[in-house]
Amino acid sequence: MVTATLTPVWEIDPGSGKPLVVHVNATATGGGVSELLRGLLRHQPAGWAVIGGNADFYAVTKYLHNLLHGQADPARLADPAMVRTYRATLAPQGEWFARRLSAGDVVVLHDPQTLGLAPAVKAAGARVVWHCHIGAEIAPERGPGAVWRAFAPELAAVDAVVTTMPGFAPPGARELFVVPPAVDPAATKNRELTADEVAAVLAGIGLTTGLTTGRASAGVTVRQDAPLPAGARVVLQVSRWDPLKDMPGVVRCVVGLPKDVHVVLAGTEPAEIPDDPEGLAVLAEVDAVLGGLPDEDRARVHLVNISLTDPERNALVVNALQRRADVVLQKSLQEGFGLTVTEAMIKGRPVVAADVGGLRLQVTDGHNGLLVDPADLAGVRAAITRLLDDPVLCRELGDRARAGALERYTMRRFAADYLKVIHRTP
Ligand code: UDP
């Protein structure tokens, strides 16, 4: 959608007389940033709005996303049409927004999709925070440098930058805050569930009963050759259908795993996330990999597509899947942080995570999970098997994972860090 306005998600209250704090991101549901904002705004008052854009705009922003992860060709940014499309989409939204802002307000722009609003927000006298949740600790010439150069005017309007790791920040930030994300232990996504509740949720979506295979049940579509058997050991990856999450690679893992081990891939309904245009192509690739598997291996793979139209239902299903999992895998090729891993850790699940980006911030190999090279399929399988064969190790890693996540990655800590960002932004 091309629009000249922002769409409010959470009330922006200009009537209070106090300076506003307003968060702006690309999507109200789907992915880690919307998850974080939903949690944060339960802890502190602020407005929240989302930008609009059409397919051309989101193709550019997805390219920028991949570039910041070092997974795209920086030379393509030399095409002036890219930056033109980006700026033309955000300019009217910036003008509309600026008319509603006053000096002293704080606007937090999340990720590259919204950075283009910075000059208009700054011109309105508001303070501009850019929270870039993504990145990779790589040499600038592998991608980020091209973004910093192309968007130098936008970055010049930013008063403070927030990142998950120091290496993700653009050079020369006036003020830099390093604030890792967090989860809410009491939220539906993470709250304790009894074994009966888990079983009921998984039966309800058809995963263990097979009754609804291929049809949406309460917003969830399960695709599988056969239901998940009660005694199966489960390896789970929860992700958007994004190329960087390597869902096809997760399917390939099933070959060679013990025959009672099943792989569950759960992801958001791709058509529902506007800034994630590659979802359908990734699903098609997953189908192609599945089609090439021997029947007995294919029968051990279960695809779960969850609609975001009912966020509470989505959260409950993800929670139940994570609690049913014997091992939670995150085989990302790059990852800004990986809330899916935090969610698994806070539930005491043993994790196998790619040794990249924010995942290595969370997981210390052999201490609270295992780290693997995502390109080494045999190594990934070996790590999964090591955990499946050693319940004592699983318990030890899981206990430490839970304790560490409760100490470092709760929403209470995140909200306190954010207050400092708001107050200390010059
Ligand atoms: N998620 C979800 N339903 C899904 C897939 C993902 O609710 O079907 C959530 C997941 O639980 C996590 C977030 O989306 O809270 C993904 O955040 P993460 O940081 O792992 O990755 P991102 O999508 O931001 O790259």
Side-chain angles (χ1 to χ4, degrees), residues 224-250:
Q224 55 191 359
D225 285 359
L228 179 71
R233 292 185 289 173
V234 170
V235 177
L236 169 75
Q237 178 159 308
V238 177
S239 287
R240 290 176 298 106
W241 303 95
D242 177 319
L244 296 184
K245 309 288 183 183
D246 196 19
M247 293 290 236
V250 177

Side-chain angles (χ1 to χ4, degrees), residues 318-384:
V318 172
N319 188 344
L321 287 169
Q322 287 166 334
R323 288 182 188 279
R324 173 65 179 84
D326 294 275
V327 171
V328 172
L329 175 63
Q330 193 62 50
K331 195 185 169 307
S332 305
L333 306 176
Q334 276 298 348
E335 191 65 70
F337 185 68
L339 277 177
T340 48
V341 164
T342 333
E343 291 157 4
M345 291 171 89
I346 216 147
K347 297 178 179 76
R349 308 318 301 145
V351 299
V352 172
D355 190 7
V356 297
L359 294 175
R360 57 203 305 186
L361 188 70
Q362 301 190 64
V363 178
T364 304
D365 187 39
H367 173 72
N368 57 356
L370 299 181
L371 287 175
V372 291
D373 172 357
D376 172 12
L377 211 54
V380 176
R381 278 194 206 105
I384 293 170

